Short mmCIF file of all heavy atoms in Angstrom, two decimals:
data_model
loop_
_atom_site.label_atom_id
_atom_site.label_comp_id
_atom_site.label_asym_id
_atom_site.label_seq_id
_atom_site.Cartn_x
_atom_site.Cartn_y
_atom_site.Cartn_z
N THR A 26 -3.18 7.44 2.04
CA THR A 26 -1.93 8.21 2.12
C THR A 26 -2.15 9.62 2.66
O THR A 26 -1.19 10.31 2.96
CB THR A 26 -1.28 8.35 0.72
OG1 THR A 26 -2.23 8.99 -0.15
CG2 THR A 26 -0.90 7.01 0.13
N SER A 75 10.08 5.83 0.89
CA SER A 75 8.72 5.65 0.35
C SER A 75 8.54 4.22 -0.14
O SER A 75 9.52 3.47 -0.28
CB SER A 75 8.52 6.61 -0.84
OG SER A 75 9.40 6.24 -1.88
N GLY A 76 7.29 3.90 -0.45
CA GLY A 76 7.03 2.58 -1.04
C GLY A 76 7.70 2.44 -2.39
O GLY A 76 8.24 1.38 -2.74
N THR A 77 7.67 3.51 -3.15
CA THR A 77 8.30 3.49 -4.48
C THR A 77 9.79 3.21 -4.34
O THR A 77 10.35 2.37 -5.08
CB THR A 77 8.08 4.86 -5.16
OG1 THR A 77 6.66 5.08 -5.29
CG2 THR A 77 8.72 4.92 -6.52
N ASN A 80 10.25 -0.55 -3.35
CA ASN A 80 10.10 -1.48 -4.48
C ASN A 80 11.30 -1.38 -5.42
O ASN A 80 11.84 -2.39 -5.88
CB ASN A 80 8.82 -1.18 -5.26
CG ASN A 80 7.58 -1.70 -4.55
OD1 ASN A 80 7.65 -2.63 -3.73
ND2 ASN A 80 6.43 -1.13 -4.86
N HIS A 101 1.21 -1.48 -9.15
CA HIS A 101 1.69 -0.13 -8.85
C HIS A 101 3.08 0.08 -9.41
O HIS A 101 3.39 1.11 -10.01
CB HIS A 101 1.68 0.09 -7.33
CG HIS A 101 1.80 1.52 -6.94
ND1 HIS A 101 3.00 2.18 -6.86
CD2 HIS A 101 0.84 2.45 -6.64
CE1 HIS A 101 2.79 3.44 -6.50
NE2 HIS A 101 1.50 3.63 -6.36
N GLU A 106 5.10 3.96 -10.83
CA GLU A 106 6.39 4.26 -10.21
C GLU A 106 7.38 4.82 -11.24
O GLU A 106 8.59 4.58 -11.17
CB GLU A 106 6.89 3.02 -9.43
CG GLU A 106 5.92 2.75 -8.27
CD GLU A 106 6.25 1.57 -7.36
OE1 GLU A 106 7.36 1.00 -7.46
OE2 GLU A 106 5.38 1.23 -6.55
N GLU A 155 1.54 -8.05 -5.64
CA GLU A 155 1.11 -6.91 -4.81
C GLU A 155 0.04 -7.39 -3.84
O GLU A 155 -0.96 -7.98 -4.26
CB GLU A 155 0.53 -5.87 -5.77
CG GLU A 155 0.37 -4.50 -5.19
CD GLU A 155 -0.13 -3.54 -6.28
OE1 GLU A 155 0.61 -3.28 -7.25
OE2 GLU A 155 -1.27 -3.07 -6.16
N ASP A 188 5.19 -6.52 -3.08
CA ASP A 188 4.84 -5.13 -2.80
C ASP A 188 3.70 -5.20 -1.79
O ASP A 188 2.54 -5.36 -2.16
CB ASP A 188 4.42 -4.42 -4.09
CG ASP A 188 3.88 -3.01 -3.82
OD1 ASP A 188 3.65 -2.67 -2.64
OD2 ASP A 188 3.66 -2.28 -4.80
N ALA A 190 2.64 -2.87 0.26
CA ALA A 190 2.33 -1.51 0.73
C ALA A 190 1.24 -1.59 1.81
O ALA A 190 1.32 -0.91 2.83
CB ALA A 190 1.87 -0.64 -0.43
N ARG A 191 0.25 -2.47 1.56
CA ARG A 191 -0.85 -2.64 2.53
C ARG A 191 -0.94 -4.10 3.00
O ARG A 191 -2.04 -4.64 3.14
CB ARG A 191 -2.17 -2.17 1.90
CG ARG A 191 -2.17 -0.70 1.55
CD ARG A 191 -3.48 -0.22 0.96
NE ARG A 191 -3.42 1.19 0.60
CZ ARG A 191 -2.90 1.66 -0.55
NH1 ARG A 191 -2.42 0.81 -1.46
NH2 ARG A 191 -2.86 2.96 -0.79
N MET A 214 8.12 -5.34 0.88
CA MET A 214 8.09 -3.92 1.23
C MET A 214 6.74 -3.63 1.86
O MET A 214 5.71 -4.10 1.37
CB MET A 214 8.27 -3.09 -0.04
CG MET A 214 8.30 -1.58 0.19
SD MET A 214 6.71 -0.78 0.49
CE MET A 214 5.90 -0.93 -1.09
N CYS A 216 4.42 -0.23 3.69
CA CYS A 216 4.40 1.22 3.90
C CYS A 216 3.97 1.56 5.32
O CYS A 216 2.99 1.00 5.83
CB CYS A 216 3.44 1.88 2.92
SG CYS A 216 4.02 1.81 1.23
N SER A 218 3.31 4.77 5.86
CA SER A 218 2.70 6.09 5.66
C SER A 218 1.34 6.03 4.98
O SER A 218 0.89 7.03 4.43
CB SER A 218 3.65 6.94 4.82
OG SER A 218 3.86 6.30 3.58
N LYS A 219 0.71 4.85 5.00
CA LYS A 219 -0.64 4.79 4.44
C LYS A 219 -1.62 4.60 5.61
O LYS A 219 -1.70 5.47 6.45
CB LYS A 219 -0.70 3.68 3.39
CG LYS A 219 0.27 3.96 2.25
CD LYS A 219 0.06 3.13 1.04
CE LYS A 219 0.77 3.73 -0.16
NZ LYS A 219 2.22 3.96 0.01
N SER A 227 8.80 3.69 4.44
CA SER A 227 8.41 2.31 4.19
C SER A 227 9.56 1.41 4.65
O SER A 227 10.68 1.90 4.86
CB SER A 227 8.17 2.08 2.69
OG SER A 227 7.02 2.79 2.27
C1 LIG B 401 0.46 -0.97 -3.94
C2 LIG B 401 1.37 0.20 -3.77
N1 LIG B 401 2.69 0.00 -3.84
C3 LIG B 401 3.56 1.01 -3.69
C4 LIG B 401 3.14 2.29 -3.44
C5 LIG B 401 4.14 3.41 -3.35
O1 LIG B 401 4.18 4.02 -2.11
P1 LIG B 401 4.70 5.54 -1.98
O2 LIG B 401 3.56 6.41 -2.35
O3 LIG B 401 5.08 5.62 -0.53
O4 LIG B 401 5.86 5.70 -2.87
C6 LIG B 401 1.76 2.55 -3.36
C7 LIG B 401 1.27 3.93 -3.11
O5 LIG B 401 0.12 4.24 -3.13
C8 LIG B 401 0.86 1.48 -3.53
O6 LIG B 401 -0.46 1.67 -3.49
#
Side-chain angles (χ1 to χ4, degrees):
T26 58
S75 65
T77 300
N80 283 337
H101 195 277
E106 296 181 9
E155 196 176 294
D188 173 349
R191 297 182 182 82
M214 182 283 292
C216 291
S218 60
K219 299 194 163 56
S227 292

